Amino acid sequence: MTAHHELMTTYTATVTVRLKRGVLDPEAETTKRALERLGFELESLRSADQFEVDVDADSAGEAEDRADEMAQRLLANPTIHDYDVEVAEA
Amino acid sequence: MTAHHELMTTYTATVTVRLKRGVLDPEAETTKRALERLGFELESLRSADQFEVDVDADSAGEAEDRADEMAQRLLANPTIHDYDVEVAEA
């Protein structure tokens, strides 16, 4: 453990990954129909994947930058996904 | 179309479904390891499913009640999941 580490704070970065508008989502369509079969009335349903990542960082900005890079490198597929990142102290 | 329908507002209810603490999440563990292999440092990672449901309702409270019932009936499995519902005008 170095002095540098002791100054770090743990942040939770929430990365929400959604399908871009126009990309077909058969799972959401199936879920919507299942809800309708149960008697629910709904106009539309979209699904998204959320990742809550705990990272040690010097600042909220650094935590957000790292989570953004995780989204670009692995969590989201830029061809079909949009994503957003929100950061809070854990 | 009745007068009743004309007074309705479209709300988006966001239902977030998470595994309960202590329930194993092999997909999240795999994602964490993949990020680490790419060189990212992270303390932990949790995954959640999010459903954005558009419903016509007389009030935000009614929209929330219906989304809560959808979660209980279909979107969440009470044995392994916790969920929360947030409502905003669409």
Side-chain angles (χ1 to χ4, degrees):
Chain A
M1 180 79 98
T2 65
H4 180 250
H5 277 95
E6 283 167 37
L7 292 170
M8 287 198 171
T9 306
T10 303
Y11 296 91
T12 298
T14 302
V15 181
T16 304
V17 179
R18 294 180 179 81
L19 287 169
K20 286 185 178 179
R21 190 171 291 274
V23 178
L24 291 178
D25 187 348
E27 186 184 334
E29 193 52 41
T30 301
T31 304
K32 177 174 187 278
R33 289 215 201 94
L35 286 167
E36 288 168 340
R37 272 197 303 275
L38 289 171
F40 290 105
E41 286 181 28
L42 58 159
E43 302 308 302
S44 62
L45 183 148
R46 297 168 297 284
S47 65
D49 288 325
Q50 206 169 64
F51 302 92
E52 294 175 0
V53 188
D54 293 335
V55 294
D56 290 340
D58 290 322
S59 67
E62 187 201 313
E64 184 172 344
D65 287 348
R66 279 165 56 193
D68 194 86
E69 201 183 335
M70 292 179 199
Q72 290 186 38
R73 297 277 311 272
L74 187 82
L75 303 177
N77 174 344
T79 306
I80 57 170
H81 291 140
D82 289 321
Y83 69 89
D84 61 64
V85 177
E86 285 177 34
V87 170
E89 283 197 30
Chain B
M1 180 79 102
T2 66
H4 181 252
H5 277 97
E6 284 169 40
L7 292 171
M8 287 199 171
T9 305
T10 302
Y11 296 92
T12 298
T14 301
V15 181
T16 304
V17 179
R18 295 182 180 78
L19 287 169
K20 286 185 179 180
R21 192 171 290 275
V23 177
L24 292 178
D25 187 348
E27 187 185 333
E29 193 53 41
T30 301
T31 304
K32 177 173 186 282
R33 289 215 202 94
L35 286 168
E36 288 168 342
R37 273 198 303 274
L38 290 172
F40 291 105
E41 287 180 27
L42 59 159
E43 301 308 301
S44 61
L45 184 148
R46 298 169 295 286
S47 65
D49 289 323
Q50 207 169 61
F51 302 92
E52 294 175 359
V53 188
D54 293 334
V55 294
D56 290 339
D58 291 322
S59 67
E62 186 201 314
E64 184 173 344
D65 287 348
R66 279 164 56 193
D68 193 89
E69 201 183 336
M70 291 179 199
Q72 290 186 39
R73 296 277 309 274
L74 186 81
L75 303 177
N77 174 344
T79 306
I80 56 170
H81 291 141
D82 288 323
Y83 69 87
D84 61 62
V85 178
E86 284 176 36
V87 170
E89 283 198 31

